[in-house]
Amino acid sequence: MAQVPQRFFDALAVRTWCGLSLRALGRAREEIDAINVYPVADGDTGTNLYLTVESAVAAVEAVFAAHAVGAGEPGCGPDEGPSLAETVGAMAHGALIGARGNSGTILAQLLRGLAQVLTADAAGARPDGEGAHTDGPGLRAALRHAAESARQAVAHPVEGTVLTVATAAADAADGAEGDCADVARAAYDGARAALAATPGQLPALKRAGVVDAGGHGLVTVLAALVETFTGRAPEPLTVSHARVALDPADPVGECPVDGGFLDGASADGGAGNGGPAFEVIYLLEAGDTEVARLRRRLDALGDSLVVVGGDGLWNVHVHVDDAGAAVEAGVEAGRPYRIRITHFGHGDAHTTRSERPPRERAQRAVVAVVPGEGLAGLYTEAGATTVLARPGEPPASGELVQAVRRAHAREVVLLPNDAELRHTAAAAAEQARTEGVRVALIPTRSAVQGIAAMAVHEPGRRFDEDVVAMTSAAGATRYAEVAVAERQAWTTAGICQAGDVLGLIDGDVAVIGADVAEVAATVLDRMLAAGGELVTLVLGEEAPESVAGRLQARVRQAYLAVDTVVYRGGRQGALLLVGVE
């Protein structure tokens, strides 16, 4: 189906571009992964870029959904939809918090730089609506600022990478006259030409006979920008474009970079044999001064340092041998969270694929989404591969696919543990099946249903029998949660105010109150009125210490044949999760 072209760069154009970019990266992901040899040959650049854009898309869609809900609330007039500033701000923030890997982190900064110019344009909007969008000159300025800000975010920029491609796109856009379609097309053409030249700038690329993987991803995103404004996608890059012919007479031992020499075994710095052992990524809440000191500290610890963001929130990426020191540096600078540490190891990031010893697949594994660190530990002890879903940060389908790959099994049982993740989990399961993994999706709506499923999981029996038993156990478990209302809203139990304590049973608000323990007790009584043999309580980090004891005492006194088990969930969003089997 042909895409309806957008005339200006407004909120709808941002939404369209993000959606088209995600679909394009989804199609190109495996090919980009396959040519990923720099800065580390870990074969995940396409996946990382996809996850980064998927997070941006989710943030943009949330903004549009919020305006749609607001328009339907009592007393609200028609909603004209989000502004350009809101939409590009959401895009940039989503990419920042969801950025993965070296290229994903740089792409997040490119989008942030773009958003800064577009937001400034939108800030000049007049009451008649003019300025609520940007045109060709505005897009040219945005592309230039994006390229410059991304280059500034990298500690030691290297040519022949995505930075080179971004700069070439901005240069080409500067020479374009006309509207957004003309500028986007010029940027795409310039980027594509620069991508083709990357093997001549990086020996690692020339030896492998490929173009830069991150640059390939950026060209894919710019192609989506062209489609946004013209309605037609440019000819896609293919394997023949991504791989280059080698000239035996052309030396690849050294090439000049930034006035020095790069031997092809260093990354951003360097990632060849003997390179850093770990990739460390985390979000960081810190001020500009603290981040400046952090950059210097991490630059001394390792390479491939990229720090992106601003306004108090940053995404930090670095390759180091001492992962603990990199995290400690973040703690000294501010509050690091969503910390991800990947061990490259021998036969992985620093060796060629042909040298990697094959690892035997397990027969069966369970992949579960969990809402807090405490439950992650519980599920891990039970043998599951976990994906952490922090409050307000649901995992993307690509993260679930990555977890299935980490599980490295022929058969996988997938537990989303959240009704809102049903479609995300279904998409991940479908992707995993195309990779030869047999996947069964059990539609668990809460982590307590997942706990019940894990309790009857037996890897030794037939796959179908195991799935049926786990599905039956999850389905027989009623679930509830106690949470605090964030704003006034209509609910199935009446109108709640911000700060009210809500008791939700099977996803619907059943109780509204002011005291956590009283609401929890009422919820528990209603659930046990229908019978039950086991109550599971999962306490959130902010739940009052006395709640568990009071509920256990109530069960002992009023329901003699019912057992109770209590777990600590950590930062799980809800104050309390309740399961009744």
Side-chain angles (χ1 to χ4, degrees), residues 140-154:
R140 285 202 304 269
L143 289 168
R144 171 58 62 194
H145 184 65
E148 291 175 350
S149 62
R151 190 169 286 269
Q152 292 168 2
V154 178

Side-chain angles (χ1 to χ4, degrees), residues 141-197:
L143 289 168
R144 171 58 62 194
H145 184 65
E148 291 175 350
S149 62
R151 190 169 286 269
Q152 292 168 2
V154 178
H156 301 287
V158 170
E159 299 307 326
T161 65
V162 62
L163 297 175
T164 305
V165 176
T167 298
D171 289 344
D174 282 344
E177 299 293 338
D179 58 15
C180 287
D182 297 319
V183 173
R185 184 74 204 199
Y188 168 78
D189 290 340
R192 184 162 174 161
L195 177 65

Side-chain angles (χ1 to χ4, degrees), residues 65-158:
H67 276 264
V69 170
E73 290 188 350
C76 294
D79 193 309
E80 296 181 357
S83 66
L84 174 61
E86 283 181 281
T87 310
V88 294
M91 173 190 71
H93 180 75
L96 176 67
I97 66 173
R100 299 291 192 276
N102 193 65
S103 293
T105 308
I106 292 173
L107 177 61
Q109 187 66 9
L110 285 167
L111 295 179
R112 177 178 171 80
L114 194 87
Q116 287 174 325
V117 173
L118 296 180
T119 299
D121 281 358
R126 301 196 303 270
D128 61 6
E130 288 296 322
H133 58 255
T134 196
D135 52 13
L139 180 55
R140 285 202 304 269
L143 289 168
R144 171 58 62 194
H145 184 65
E148 291 175 350
S149 62
R151 190 169 286 269
Q152 292 168 2
V154 178
H156 301 287
V158 170

Side-chain angles (χ1 to χ4, degrees), residues 484-488 496-500 502:
V484 176
E486 296 181 354
R487 59 184 176 86
Q488 182 187 55
C496 71
Q497 305 295 328
D500 283 349
L502 307 180

